[in-house]
Amino acid sequence: MYAKRLDNLPPYLFAQIDKLKAQKRSEGVDVIDFGVGDPDLPTPKHIVDSLCDAARDPATHHYPDYTGMIEYREAVSEWYKKRFGVSFDAKTEVLALIGSKEGIAHVPEAFVNPGDYVLATDPGYPVYKTSTLFSEGILHELPIKEENDFLPELDKIPKDVLKKAKLMFFGYPNNPTAAIAPLSFYEEVVEFAKENNIVAVHDNAYSEISFDGYKAPSFMQVDGAKEVGMEMHSLSKTYNMTGWRLGMAVGGEELIAGLGRVKTNVDSGAFDAIQRAGITALTSSQQCVADACNIYQERRDTLVAGLRSLGFDVPSPKATFYVWMKVSDSMKFAEKMLNEAGIVVTPGVGFGKSGDGYVRFAITRDVERIKEAIDRMRGLDF
Ligand SMILES: Cc1ncc(COP(=O)(O)O)c(C=O)c1O
């Protein structure tokens, strides 16, 4: 009944975990869920108020502009200028997205012909792989390993793959490893993309969630980045707006136009009232973002200290709301955590082969729950 491409989809590990979690809950277990990368914090009030006002204005009730409201695209452009020092023409170099997932899912449709290679970091955000599959591209995984600071080794990609490679997905601060990338890596990517005629798609969804004074750069800061690539960004993680579905793509005019052509044919844009609230988010005080980072930082410190007290050798991440921890067998570890302690963590293998041997904790639970989880783990024999 279904098209082959559905058969080719990898098993959706997160659905399996959801099932097990539901089962535990139905057995009366008080499950502590570190599985989902979805902020538990509410969207700041001034943004919610802005949506409510906008939703009452009938002018927002119509089909939105395909590329996004010009005022929203200008707000994105101003935010990028202020935050990263990069200028974009709001009319031609910025596109509104219905969340960055949507942009990532559609971008291969614009650039990849059946049989072209798509490069994507492994482990990585699963949509890099599934969007490649839907466009009938061939996925070439770029393993990211601890010994290389979780950055891909571009010089290890076989020549025959490079010849047919059309697009590359990468994203730092990284989900799931929580690794960060220096600007010098982005410079390397620009050179690499130029040399090999590859569209470089950087996923910067976590740039605002950072700690200890660290500020993540944008790929677009590098000279020449606009000619070879684009960046997907999102209001989801920055302003706790995952449910709202609002993001942006920025980059070179031709590339943005390519993605825009796909979108014009498959969706009708983000609700104008949500875009107006997005303008409020991007243009008003960013104190709410700093406050959220302080909360995550305290949680990170509590979890990392707790895990270290149990004998785990776990790094303290500088960004994202994830803690990526080495274990001997990620599936067994995750099963044991759920069955014996009622704790959900995500096995790294769910993000790709090279994620095996790790588990991911999402610190989207408060400090008290984190302390309780550590107490429950204390009784386990790992
Ligand atoms: C690395 C990464 N990119 C993109 C997304 C998509 O976010 P959204 O579609 O909410 O903007 C996520 C969501 O978890 C993510 O982890």
Short mmCIF file of all heavy atoms in Angstrom, two decimals, residues 153-215:
data_model
loop_
_atom_site.label_atom_id
_atom_site.label_comp_id
_atom_site.label_asym_id
_atom_site.label_seq_id
_atom_site.Cartn_x
_atom_site.Cartn_y
_atom_site.Cartn_z
N GLU A 153 35.34 15.06 9.65
CA GLU A 153 36.63 15.17 8.96
C GLU A 153 36.33 15.25 7.46
O GLU A 153 36.16 14.22 6.80
CB GLU A 153 37.50 13.96 9.28
CG GLU A 153 37.89 13.88 10.74
CD GLU A 153 38.65 12.61 11.03
OE1 GLU A 153 38.00 11.54 11.13
OE2 GLU A 153 39.89 12.65 11.15
N LEU A 154 36.29 16.47 6.95
CA LEU A 154 35.89 16.67 5.55
C LEU A 154 36.89 16.07 4.57
O LEU A 154 36.53 15.66 3.47
CB LEU A 154 35.69 18.16 5.27
CG LEU A 154 34.65 18.85 6.18
CD1 LEU A 154 34.57 20.35 5.87
CD2 LEU A 154 33.27 18.22 6.04
N ASP A 155 38.16 16.00 5.00
CA ASP A 155 39.18 15.45 4.10
C ASP A 155 39.11 13.92 3.98
O ASP A 155 39.84 13.33 3.18
CB ASP A 155 40.59 15.90 4.53
CG ASP A 155 40.87 15.59 5.99
OD1 ASP A 155 39.92 15.13 6.69
OD2 ASP A 155 42.00 15.79 6.45
N LYS A 156 38.24 13.30 4.77
CA LYS A 156 38.13 11.84 4.70
C LYS A 156 37.00 11.39 3.75
O LYS A 156 36.75 10.21 3.57
CB LYS A 156 37.84 11.26 6.09
CG LYS A 156 38.95 11.44 7.11
CD LYS A 156 39.77 10.16 7.25
CE LYS A 156 41.08 10.38 7.99
NZ LYS A 156 40.92 10.48 9.44
N ILE A 157 36.29 12.36 3.17
CA ILE A 157 35.16 11.98 2.30
C ILE A 157 35.72 11.46 0.96
O ILE A 157 36.53 12.15 0.34
CB ILE A 157 34.22 13.19 2.05
CG1 ILE A 157 33.74 13.74 3.41
CG2 ILE A 157 33.03 12.79 1.18
CD1 ILE A 157 33.04 15.08 3.32
N PRO A 158 35.31 10.26 0.54
CA PRO A 158 35.86 9.71 -0.71
C PRO A 158 35.58 10.61 -1.92
O PRO A 158 34.52 11.25 -2.00
CB PRO A 158 35.10 8.37 -0.87
CG PRO A 158 34.55 8.07 0.48
CD PRO A 158 34.35 9.37 1.19
N LYS A 159 36.53 10.63 -2.84
CA LYS A 159 36.45 11.52 -4.03
C LYS A 159 35.20 11.26 -4.86
O LYS A 159 34.57 12.18 -5.37
CB LYS A 159 37.69 11.31 -4.92
CG LYS A 159 38.97 11.83 -4.32
CD LYS A 159 39.49 13.00 -5.18
CE LYS A 159 40.57 13.86 -4.53
NZ LYS A 159 41.07 13.58 -3.24
N ASP A 160 34.85 9.96 -5.02
CA ASP A 160 33.69 9.64 -5.87
C ASP A 160 32.39 10.14 -5.22
O ASP A 160 31.43 10.49 -5.93
CB ASP A 160 33.62 8.13 -6.17
CG ASP A 160 33.59 7.29 -4.92
OD1 ASP A 160 34.30 7.66 -3.95
OD2 ASP A 160 32.86 6.29 -4.88
N VAL A 161 32.37 10.20 -3.91
CA VAL A 161 31.19 10.76 -3.22
C VAL A 161 31.15 12.27 -3.46
O VAL A 161 30.11 12.84 -3.81
CB VAL A 161 31.23 10.44 -1.70
CG1 VAL A 161 30.14 11.21 -0.95
CG2 VAL A 161 31.09 8.94 -1.46
N LEU A 162 32.31 12.90 -3.31
CA LEU A 162 32.38 14.36 -3.47
C LEU A 162 31.91 14.80 -4.85
O LEU A 162 31.26 15.84 -4.98
CB LEU A 162 33.81 14.84 -3.24
CG LEU A 162 34.24 14.96 -1.78
CD1 LEU A 162 35.67 15.45 -1.69
CD2 LEU A 162 33.30 15.89 -1.01
N LYS A 163 32.26 13.99 -5.84
CA LYS A 163 31.89 14.35 -7.22
C LYS A 163 30.38 14.46 -7.38
O LYS A 163 29.88 15.25 -8.17
CB LYS A 163 32.41 13.26 -8.17
CG LYS A 163 33.69 13.67 -8.86
CD LYS A 163 33.99 12.73 -10.02
CE LYS A 163 35.46 12.39 -10.03
NZ LYS A 163 35.76 11.02 -10.40
N LYS A 164 29.67 13.61 -6.65
CA LYS A 164 28.21 13.60 -6.80
C LYS A 164 27.48 14.22 -5.61
O LYS A 164 26.26 14.10 -5.48
CB LYS A 164 27.72 12.17 -7.02
CG LYS A 164 28.09 11.63 -8.40
CD LYS A 164 27.10 10.58 -8.89
CE LYS A 164 27.29 9.27 -8.18
NZ LYS A 164 26.34 8.25 -8.56
N ALA A 165 28.27 14.87 -4.71
CA ALA A 165 27.63 15.46 -3.53
C ALA A 165 27.03 16.82 -3.89
O ALA A 165 27.64 17.61 -4.58
CB ALA A 165 28.66 15.62 -2.42
N LYS A 166 25.83 17.04 -3.41
CA LYS A 166 25.13 18.26 -3.78
C LYS A 166 24.83 19.14 -2.58
O LYS A 166 24.74 20.37 -2.71
CB LYS A 166 23.82 17.84 -4.47
CG LYS A 166 23.14 18.90 -5.28
CD LYS A 166 23.98 19.38 -6.46
CE LYS A 166 23.53 20.74 -6.96
NZ LYS A 166 22.20 20.76 -7.56
N LEU A 167 24.70 18.52 -1.43
CA LEU A 167 24.26 19.29 -0.27
C LEU A 167 24.88 18.71 0.99
O LEU A 167 25.19 17.52 1.05
CB LEU A 167 22.73 19.19 -0.20
CG LEU A 167 21.93 20.09 0.70
CD1 LEU A 167 20.68 20.56 -0.04
CD2 LEU A 167 21.47 19.37 1.95
N MET A 168 25.08 19.56 1.99
CA MET A 168 25.63 19.08 3.27
C MET A 168 24.84 19.69 4.43
O MET A 168 24.62 20.90 4.47
CB MET A 168 27.10 19.50 3.36
CG MET A 168 27.70 19.29 4.74
SD MET A 168 29.48 19.65 4.68
CE MET A 168 29.83 19.88 6.41
N PHE A 169 24.45 18.83 5.37
CA PHE A 169 23.77 19.29 6.59
C PHE A 169 24.75 19.19 7.76
O PHE A 169 25.39 18.14 7.96
CB PHE A 169 22.60 18.36 6.93
CG PHE A 169 21.36 18.55 6.12
CD1 PHE A 169 20.87 17.51 5.34
CD2 PHE A 169 20.65 19.74 6.17
CE1 PHE A 169 19.69 17.65 4.61
CE2 PHE A 169 19.46 19.89 5.45
CZ PHE A 169 18.99 18.84 4.67
N PHE A 170 24.81 20.23 8.56
CA PHE A 170 25.62 20.20 9.78
C PHE A 170 25.03 21.23 10.73
O PHE A 170 24.37 22.19 10.27
CB PHE A 170 27.10 20.48 9.46
CG PHE A 170 27.35 21.83 8.83
CD1 PHE A 170 28.03 22.82 9.52
CD2 PHE A 170 26.88 22.13 7.55
CE1 PHE A 170 28.25 24.07 8.95
CE2 PHE A 170 27.10 23.38 6.99
CZ PHE A 170 27.78 24.35 7.68
N GLY A 171 25.24 21.05 12.02
CA GLY A 171 24.64 21.99 12.97
C GLY A 171 25.37 22.03 14.29
O GLY A 171 25.57 21.01 14.94
N TYR A 172 25.80 23.25 14.68
CA TYR A 172 26.45 23.48 15.97
C TYR A 172 25.93 24.79 16.53
O TYR A 172 25.75 25.71 15.74
CB TYR A 172 27.98 23.55 15.81
CG TYR A 172 28.55 22.25 15.31
CD1 TYR A 172 28.65 22.00 13.95
CD2 TYR A 172 28.95 21.26 16.21
CE1 TYR A 172 29.14 20.78 13.48
CE2 TYR A 172 29.46 20.05 15.74
CZ TYR A 172 29.55 19.81 14.39
OH TYR A 172 30.04 18.62 13.93
N PRO A 173 25.73 24.87 17.83
CA PRO A 173 25.76 23.87 18.87
C PRO A 173 24.92 22.65 18.46
O PRO A 173 23.82 22.80 17.95
CB PRO A 173 25.19 24.58 20.08
CG PRO A 173 25.47 26.03 19.84
CD PRO A 173 25.39 26.21 18.37
N ASN A 174 25.49 21.48 18.71
CA ASN A 174 25.00 20.26 18.09
C ASN A 174 23.98 19.49 18.93
O ASN A 174 24.16 19.31 20.13
CB ASN A 174 26.23 19.37 17.82
CG ASN A 174 25.90 18.11 17.06
OD1 ASN A 174 25.79 17.04 17.65
ND2 ASN A 174 25.71 18.22 15.76
N ASN A 175 22.96 19.04 18.25
CA ASN A 175 22.05 18.04 18.80
C ASN A 175 22.40 16.73 18.07
O ASN A 175 22.36 16.71 16.84
CB ASN A 175 20.60 18.42 18.52
CG ASN A 175 19.62 17.36 18.96
OD1 ASN A 175 19.96 16.48 19.75
ND2 ASN A 175 18.40 17.42 18.45
N PRO A 176 22.78 15.66 18.73
CA PRO A 176 22.65 15.40 20.16
C PRO A 176 23.91 15.57 21.01
O PRO A 176 23.84 15.45 22.22
CB PRO A 176 22.30 13.90 20.15
CG PRO A 176 23.13 13.35 19.04
CD PRO A 176 23.13 14.43 17.98
N THR A 177 25.09 15.85 20.42
CA THR A 177 26.33 15.75 21.20
C THR A 177 26.60 16.95 22.09
O THR A 177 27.50 16.92 22.93
CB THR A 177 27.55 15.58 20.27
OG1 THR A 177 27.72 16.78 19.51
CG2 THR A 177 27.39 14.40 19.31
N ALA A 178 25.87 18.05 21.88
CA ALA A 178 26.07 19.32 22.61
C ALA A 178 27.42 19.95 22.27
O ALA A 178 27.84 20.88 22.94
CB ALA A 178 25.91 19.15 24.12
N ALA A 179 28.09 19.46 21.22
CA ALA A 179 29.39 20.03 20.84
C ALA A 179 29.19 21.40 20.21
O ALA A 179 28.13 21.71 19.66
CB ALA A 179 30.07 19.11 19.83
N ILE A 180 30.25 22.22 20.31
CA ILE A 180 30.23 23.54 19.67
C ILE A 180 31.30 23.57 18.58
O ILE A 180 32.21 22.75 18.60
CB ILE A 180 30.47 24.67 20.71
CG1 ILE A 180 31.78 24.42 21.49
CG2 ILE A 180 29.29 24.78 21.65
CD1 ILE A 180 32.15 25.53 22.45
N ALA A 181 31.15 24.50 17.65
CA ALA A 181 32.13 24.58 16.55
C ALA A 181 32.79 25.95 16.55
O ALA A 181 32.10 26.96 16.74
CB ALA A 181 31.43 24.33 15.21
N PRO A 182 34.11 25.99 16.33
CA PRO A 182 34.77 27.30 16.20
C PRO A 182 34.51 27.88 14.81
O PRO A 182 34.22 27.12 13.87
CB PRO A 182 36.25 26.95 16.37
CG PRO A 182 36.38 25.55 15.88
CD PRO A 182 35.06 24.87 16.15
N LEU A 183 34.65 29.19 14.69
CA LEU A 183 34.44 29.84 13.39
C LEU A 183 35.39 29.26 12.33
O LEU A 183 35.03 29.19 11.15
CB LEU A 183 34.65 31.35 13.55
CG LEU A 183 33.85 32.24 12.62
CD1 LEU A 183 32.36 31.96 12.65
CD2 LEU A 183 34.11 33.71 12.96
N SER A 184 36.56 28.80 12.76
CA SER A 184 37.53 28.25 11.80
C SER A 184 36.96 27.01 11.10
O SER A 184 37.27 26.75 9.94
CB SER A 184 38.84 27.90 12.50
OG SER A 184 38.60 27.00 13.55
N PHE A 185 36.11 26.25 11.78
CA PHE A 185 35.49 25.10 11.13
C PHE A 185 34.53 25.58 10.03
O PHE A 185 34.48 25.03 8.93
CB PHE A 185 34.75 24.22 12.15
CG PHE A 185 33.91 23.16 11.50
CD1 PHE A 185 34.49 22.11 10.79
CD2 PHE A 185 32.51 23.22 11.54
CE1 PHE A 185 33.71 21.15 10.15
CE2 PHE A 185 31.72 22.26 10.91
CZ PHE A 185 32.33 21.22 10.22
N TYR A 186 33.79 26.65 10.32
CA TYR A 186 32.86 27.17 9.31
C TYR A 186 33.64 27.71 8.11
O TYR A 186 33.18 27.62 6.96
CB TYR A 186 31.97 28.26 9.90
CG TYR A 186 31.03 27.76 10.99
CD1 TYR A 186 30.51 28.62 11.95
CD2 TYR A 186 30.67 26.42 11.06
CE1 TYR A 186 29.66 28.17 12.95
CE2 TYR A 186 29.82 25.96 12.06
CZ TYR A 186 29.32 26.84 13.00
OH TYR A 186 28.49 26.39 13.98
N GLU A 187 34.83 28.28 8.37
CA GLU A 187 35.67 28.76 7.25
C GLU A 187 36.07 27.57 6.38
O GLU A 187 36.05 27.64 5.15
CB GLU A 187 36.90 29.48 7.80
CG GLU A 187 36.56 30.85 8.35
CD GLU A 187 37.64 31.44 9.26
OE1 GLU A 187 38.67 30.78 9.50
OE2 GLU A 187 37.42 32.56 9.76
N GLU A 188 36.40 26.48 7.05
CA GLU A 188 36.78 25.26 6.32
C GLU A 188 35.60 24.78 5.46
O GLU A 188 35.78 24.38 4.31
CB GLU A 188 37.17 24.19 7.36
CG GLU A 188 37.81 22.95 6.80
CD GLU A 188 37.97 21.88 7.90
OE1 GLU A 188 38.08 22.21 9.10
OE2 GLU A 188 37.94 20.69 7.53
N VAL A 189 34.40 24.85 6.03
CA VAL A 189 33.21 24.39 5.29
C VAL A 189 32.98 25.26 4.05
O VAL A 189 32.66 24.76 2.98
CB VAL A 189 31.95 24.37 6.18
CG1 VAL A 189 30.71 24.06 5.36
CG2 VAL A 189 32.10 23.37 7.32
N VAL A 190 33.16 26.58 4.19
CA VAL A 190 32.94 27.47 3.04
C VAL A 190 33.90 27.10 1.91
O VAL A 190 33.49 26.96 0.75
CB VAL A 190 33.08 28.96 3.44
CG1 VAL A 190 33.15 29.85 2.21
CG2 VAL A 190 31.92 29.38 4.32
N GLU A 191 35.18 26.90 2.25
CA GLU A 191 36.17 26.52 1.24
C GLU A 191 35.80 25.19 0.58
O GLU A 191 35.83 25.03 -0.64
CB GLU A 191 37.56 26.39 1.89
CG GLU A 191 38.25 27.71 2.10
CD GLU A 191 38.17 28.63 0.89
OE1 GLU A 191 38.59 28.20 -0.20
OE2 GLU A 191 37.65 29.76 1.02
N PHE A 192 35.43 24.23 1.44
CA PHE A 192 35.07 22.89 1.01
C PHE A 192 33.85 22.93 0.07
O PHE A 192 33.82 22.30 -0.99
CB PHE A 192 34.76 22.06 2.26
CG PHE A 192 34.10 20.74 2.02
CD1 PHE A 192 34.84 19.63 1.64
CD2 PHE A 192 32.72 20.59 2.19
CE1 PHE A 192 34.23 18.40 1.42
CE2 PHE A 192 32.11 19.36 1.98
CZ PHE A 192 32.86 18.27 1.59
N ALA A 193 32.86 23.73 0.45
CA ALA A 193 31.63 23.82 -0.35
C ALA A 193 31.90 24.48 -1.70
O ALA A 193 31.37 24.06 -2.73
CB ALA A 193 30.57 24.60 0.43
N LYS A 194 32.76 25.51 -1.68
CA LYS A 194 33.14 26.20 -2.93
C LYS A 194 33.84 25.24 -3.87
O LYS A 194 33.49 25.14 -5.05
CB LYS A 194 34.10 27.34 -2.59
CG LYS A 194 33.47 28.68 -2.54
CD LYS A 194 34.56 29.76 -2.47
CE LYS A 194 33.99 30.96 -1.76
NZ LYS A 194 35.00 31.82 -1.19
N GLU A 195 34.83 24.55 -3.32
CA GLU A 195 35.66 23.64 -4.12
C GLU A 195 34.84 22.53 -4.75
O GLU A 195 35.10 22.08 -5.85
CB GLU A 195 36.68 22.98 -3.19
CG GLU A 195 38.10 23.41 -3.42
CD GLU A 195 38.96 22.84 -2.33
OE1 GLU A 195 39.06 21.58 -2.22
OE2 GLU A 195 39.48 23.65 -1.56
N ASN A 196 33.85 22.05 -4.01
CA ASN A 196 33.11 20.87 -4.45
C ASN A 196 31.70 21.17 -4.94
O ASN A 196 30.92 20.25 -5.20
CB ASN A 196 33.07 19.83 -3.32
CG ASN A 196 34.45 19.34 -2.97
OD1 ASN A 196 35.07 18.64 -3.75
ND2 ASN A 196 34.96 19.75 -1.80
N ASN A 197 31.36 22.47 -5.00
CA ASN A 197 30.06 22.85 -5.51
C ASN A 197 28.92 22.23 -4.70
O ASN A 197 28.02 21.60 -5.25
CB ASN A 197 29.97 22.39 -6.97
CG ASN A 197 29.30 23.45 -7.80
OD1 ASN A 197 28.92 24.50 -7.27
ND2 ASN A 197 29.15 23.17 -9.08
N ILE A 198 29.03 22.40 -3.40
CA ILE A 198 28.05 21.80 -2.49
C ILE A 198 27.27 22.91 -1.79
O ILE A 198 27.86 23.93 -1.39
CB ILE A 198 28.77 20.91 -1.45
CG1 ILE A 198 29.29 19.64 -2.13
CG2 ILE A 198 27.89 20.57 -0.25
CD1 ILE A 198 30.21 18.81 -1.27
N VAL A 199 25.97 22.74 -1.65
CA VAL A 199 25.16 23.69 -0.89
C VAL A 199 25.30 23.33 0.59
O VAL A 199 24.95 22.22 1.01
CB VAL A 199 23.66 23.61 -1.30
CG1 VAL A 199 22.82 24.55 -0.46
CG2 VAL A 199 23.50 23.90 -2.79
N ALA A 200 25.85 24.26 1.38
CA ALA A 200 26.09 24.00 2.80
C ALA A 200 24.91 24.53 3.61
O ALA A 200 24.62 25.72 3.58
CB ALA A 200 27.38 24.67 3.23
N VAL A 201 24.23 23.62 4.31
CA VAL A 201 23.06 24.02 5.09
C VAL A 201 23.37 23.88 6.57
O VAL A 201 23.51 22.77 7.09
CB VAL A 201 21.83 23.16 4.73
CG1 VAL A 201 20.62 23.59 5.56
CG2 VAL A 201 21.52 23.26 3.24
N HIS A 202 23.54 25.03 7.22
CA HIS A 202 23.85 24.99 8.66
C HIS A 202 22.58 25.13 9.48
O HIS A 202 21.74 25.99 9.20
CB HIS A 202 24.83 26.10 9.04
CG HIS A 202 25.25 26.02 10.47
ND1 HIS A 202 25.01 27.01 11.38
CD2 HIS A 202 25.85 25.01 11.14
CE1 HIS A 202 25.47 26.61 12.57
NE2 HIS A 202 25.98 25.41 12.45
N ASP A 203 22.48 24.31 10.51
CA ASP A 203 21.31 24.29 11.40
C ASP A 203 21.76 24.93 12.72
O ASP A 203 22.55 24.35 13.46
CB ASP A 203 20.91 22.81 11.57
CG ASP A 203 19.78 22.60 12.55
OD1 ASP A 203 19.29 23.58 13.11
OD2 ASP A 203 19.41 21.42 12.74
N ASN A 204 21.24 26.13 12.98
CA ASN A 204 21.72 26.88 14.15
C ASN A 204 20.63 27.02 15.22
O ASN A 204 20.58 28.02 15.94
CB ASN A 204 22.23 28.26 13.71
CG ASN A 204 23.35 28.76 14.62
OD1 ASN A 204 23.76 28.07 15.55
ND2 ASN A 204 23.85 29.96 14.35
N ALA A 205 19.78 26.01 15.33
CA ALA A 205 18.60 26.10 16.21
C ALA A 205 18.94 26.38 17.68
O ALA A 205 18.13 26.92 18.42
CB ALA A 205 17.80 24.80 16.11
N TYR A 206 20.17 26.01 18.09
CA TYR A 206 20.52 26.13 19.52
C TYR A 206 21.47 27.28 19.81
O TYR A 206 22.04 27.35 20.90
CB TYR A 206 21.13 24.82 20.02
CG TYR A 206 20.13 23.69 20.03
CD1 TYR A 206 19.99 22.85 18.93
CD2 TYR A 206 19.28 23.50 21.12
CE1 TYR A 206 19.04 21.84 18.92
CE2 TYR A 206 18.33 22.50 21.11
CZ TYR A 206 18.21 21.67 20.01
OH TYR A 206 17.27 20.68 20.01
N SER A 207 21.67 28.20 18.86
CA SER A 207 22.72 29.22 19.06
C SER A 207 22.52 30.06 20.31
O SER A 207 23.48 30.56 20.88
CB SER A 207 22.81 30.14 17.84
OG SER A 207 21.71 31.03 17.79
N GLU A 208 21.28 30.22 20.75
CA GLU A 208 21.04 31.12 21.89
C GLU A 208 21.08 30.42 23.24
O GLU A 208 21.02 31.08 24.27
CB GLU A 208 19.71 31.86 21.71
CG GLU A 208 19.64 32.66 20.42
CD GLU A 208 20.91 33.45 20.15
OE1 GLU A 208 21.16 34.41 20.89
OE2 GLU A 208 21.65 33.12 19.20
N ILE A 209 21.14 29.08 23.22
CA ILE A 209 21.15 28.36 24.50
C ILE A 209 22.59 28.03 24.84
O ILE A 209 23.14 27.02 24.39
CB ILE A 209 20.29 27.06 24.42
CG1 ILE A 209 18.92 27.34 23.78
CG2 ILE A 209 20.16 26.39 25.78
CD1 ILE A 209 18.04 28.32 24.53
N SER A 210 23.23 28.92 25.60
CA SER A 210 24.65 28.70 25.89
C SER A 210 24.99 29.17 27.31
O SER A 210 24.21 29.93 27.91
CB SER A 210 25.51 29.39 24.84
OG SER A 210 25.30 30.78 24.90
N PHE A 211 26.15 28.71 27.78
CA PHE A 211 26.50 28.89 29.19
C PHE A 211 27.93 29.40 29.37
O PHE A 211 28.73 29.33 28.44
CB PHE A 211 26.37 27.55 29.94
CG PHE A 211 25.15 26.76 29.54
CD1 PHE A 211 25.28 25.51 28.93
CD2 PHE A 211 23.89 27.29 29.73
CE1 PHE A 211 24.15 24.80 28.55
CE2 PHE A 211 22.75 26.58 29.35
CZ PHE A 211 22.89 25.32 28.75
N ASP A 212 28.21 29.80 30.60
CA ASP A 212 29.58 30.19 31.00
C ASP A 212 30.11 31.32 30.11
O ASP A 212 31.31 31.39 29.85
CB ASP A 212 30.56 28.99 30.92
CG ASP A 212 30.02 27.74 31.61
OD1 ASP A 212 29.32 27.89 32.63
OD2 ASP A 212 30.30 26.63 31.13
N GLY A 213 29.23 32.17 29.61
CA GLY A 213 29.67 33.30 28.79
C GLY A 213 29.92 32.95 27.33
O GLY A 213 30.25 33.82 26.52
N TYR A 214 29.77 31.68 26.96
CA TYR A 214 30.00 31.29 25.56
C TYR A 214 28.89 31.85 24.65
O TYR A 214 27.71 31.80 25.02
CB TYR A 214 30.05 29.76 25.45
CG TYR A 214 30.10 29.27 24.01
CD1 TYR A 214 31.24 29.43 23.24
CD2 TYR A 214 28.97 28.69 23.41
CE1 TYR A 214 31.27 29.03 21.91
CE2 TYR A 214 28.98 28.27 22.09
CZ TYR A 214 30.13 28.45 21.34
OH TYR A 214 30.15 28.05 20.03
N LYS A 215 29.28 32.38 23.50
CA LYS A 215 28.29 32.86 22.50
C LYS A 215 28.56 32.11 21.20
O LYS A 215 29.65 32.21 20.64
CB LYS A 215 28.49 34.36 22.23
CG LYS A 215 27.91 35.25 23.30
CD LYS A 215 26.51 35.66 22.88
CE LYS A 215 25.81 36.50 23.93
NZ LYS A 215 24.36 36.32 23.90
#
